[in-house]
Amino acid sequence: MESFIQLHPVLQALIGTLFTWGMTAAGSGMVYVSKEPGQKTLDIMLGFAAGVMIAASYWSLLAPAIQMSEDMGVPGWIPAAVGFLAGGGILRLVDRYLPHLHLGLPTSEAEGVQTRWKRTTLLVLAITLHNIPEGLAVGVAFGAVAYGLPSATLAGAIALALGIGIQNFPEGMAVSLPLRREGLSQNKSFTYGQLSGVVEPIAGVIGAAIVGISRPILPYALAFAAGAMIFVVVEEVIPESQQSGNGDLATMGVMLGFTIMMILDVALG
């Protein structure tokens, strides 16, 4: 643990997001298990992932952003509001133009610019899209620790990485299992599933490096990551968990995920 503390924040962010990527790969590896989870289980897990992301957006990102702003003599709501809306706005632009297809929908309902890309590619891109803010959030959290602010602790950053990693397990399943049902081999389903998490280490390193440039950027960057995650939750994760008629179970998954992430952040942070 001491050796980890002494590492540069960018390296800490890389290790943290490699863990979250590994959890995505572990979830994708469920295609090799003989008994596939039912749709109810998948919907509960998607709801759980949404709950973790919602809780992380406040406890690990927005709340520290507000506290940091006030410590810097800036009204706490300004960076939080500006960064939050900017994060959602940027994800909206990416969502509008990047070709992708949400799980359970026909290829004719693919979003983004028109393309002849394969259905499997479009499905993977949909999950990849919401892994970007997750990696960014972890990277920014580790980068913030370098400034020694009371609201930015290493334990809090580790808690965020743990929470994102836990919810990445069902996300990996949510990619690989539908691909398997569509006729892809186990190996291809696993490969595509874990590839959706590759962007997390990349986004994490970028996030940690950016906040290392200037301290005033910190609260905006934290709020930006929160806004991006909330956009993904509302636009993609929750609707997918509700579309198969398991809304009540998925909602309980959201409550459970929120509670566990809140406990992790408060207990460790």
Side-chain angles (χ1 to χ4, degrees):
M1 184 64 180
E2 290 184 5
S3 59
F4 181 78
I5 295 174
Q6 295 171 355
L7 292 175
H8 190 279
V10 172
L11 288 177
Q12 291 176 341
L14 176 61
I15 293 172
T17 48
L18 284 174
F19 165 73
T20 61
W21 177 20
M23 290 297 288
T24 301
S28 299
M30 291 299 291
V31 294
Y32 296 108
V33 177
S34 57
K35 186 177 180 181
E36 180 180 319
Q39 189 60 48
K40 287 184 179 180
T41 301
L42 288 176
D43 289 341
I44 292 171
M45 288 182 169
L46 280 173
F48 178 88
V52 169
M53 293 173 74
I54 293 170
S57 295
Y58 175 73
W59 295 101
S60 298
L61 299 170
L62 280 176
I66 293 170
Q67 185 61 55
M68 286 177 191
S69 301
E70 294 173 347
D71 292 342
M72 296 175 186
V74 179
W77 62 270
I78 294 178
V82 171
F84 185 83
L85 292 176
I90 293 297
L91 258 290
R92 170 66 184 114
L93 289 175
V94 176
D95 181 75
R96 179 176 180 180
Y97 293 107
L98 179 70
H100 63 284
L101 177 65
H102 295 302
L103 297 171
L105 297 179
T107 305
S108 60
E109 295 189 29
E111 300 179 14
V113 298
Q114 291 186 347
T115 178
R116 294 183 178 179
W117 291 350
K118 293 181 178 180
R119 176 179 172 84
T120 52
T121 302
L122 295 173
L123 287 168
V124 171
L125 283 175
I127 302 297
T128 301
L129 178 62
H130 83 234
N131 280 336
I132 293 175
E134 292 174 6
L136 182 65
V138 174
V140 169
F142 277 107
V145 176
Y147 290 100
L149 297 172
S151 53
T153 65
L154 181 60
I158 292 174
L160 177 59
L162 284 173
I164 295 296
I166 290 171
Q167 63 94 37
N168 272 359
F169 185 86
E171 281 187 0
M173 292 175 59
V175 181
S176 60
L177 294 180
L179 292 178
R180 177 61 176 157
R181 285 198 295 266
E182 293 200 12
L184 271 70
S185 67
Q186 288 180 321
N187 290 336
K188 284 188 175 181
S189 298
F190 168 75
T191 299
Y192 286 133
Q194 61 86 27
L195 276 177
S196 67
V198 170
V199 294
E200 291 198 5
I202 298 172
V205 168
I206 292 174
I210 288 176
V211 299
I213 296 174
S214 175
R215 177 172 169 174
I217 295 176
L218 266 177
Y220 293 94
L222 287 166
F224 181 95
M229 284 214 292
I230 290 297
F231 177 89
V232 165
V233 169
V234 176
E235 198 273 340
E236 179 181 342
V237 183
I238 288 180
E240 287 177 4
S241 71
Q242 304 273 333
Q243 68 185 6
S244 299
N246 301 312
D248 289 341
L249 292 173
T251 300
M252 293 307 298
V254 173
M255 301 295 291
L256 179 61
F258 186 98
T259 302
I260 290 178
M261 184 66 229
M262 178 178 64
I263 292 172
L264 276 175
D265 193 271
V266 174
L268 297 181

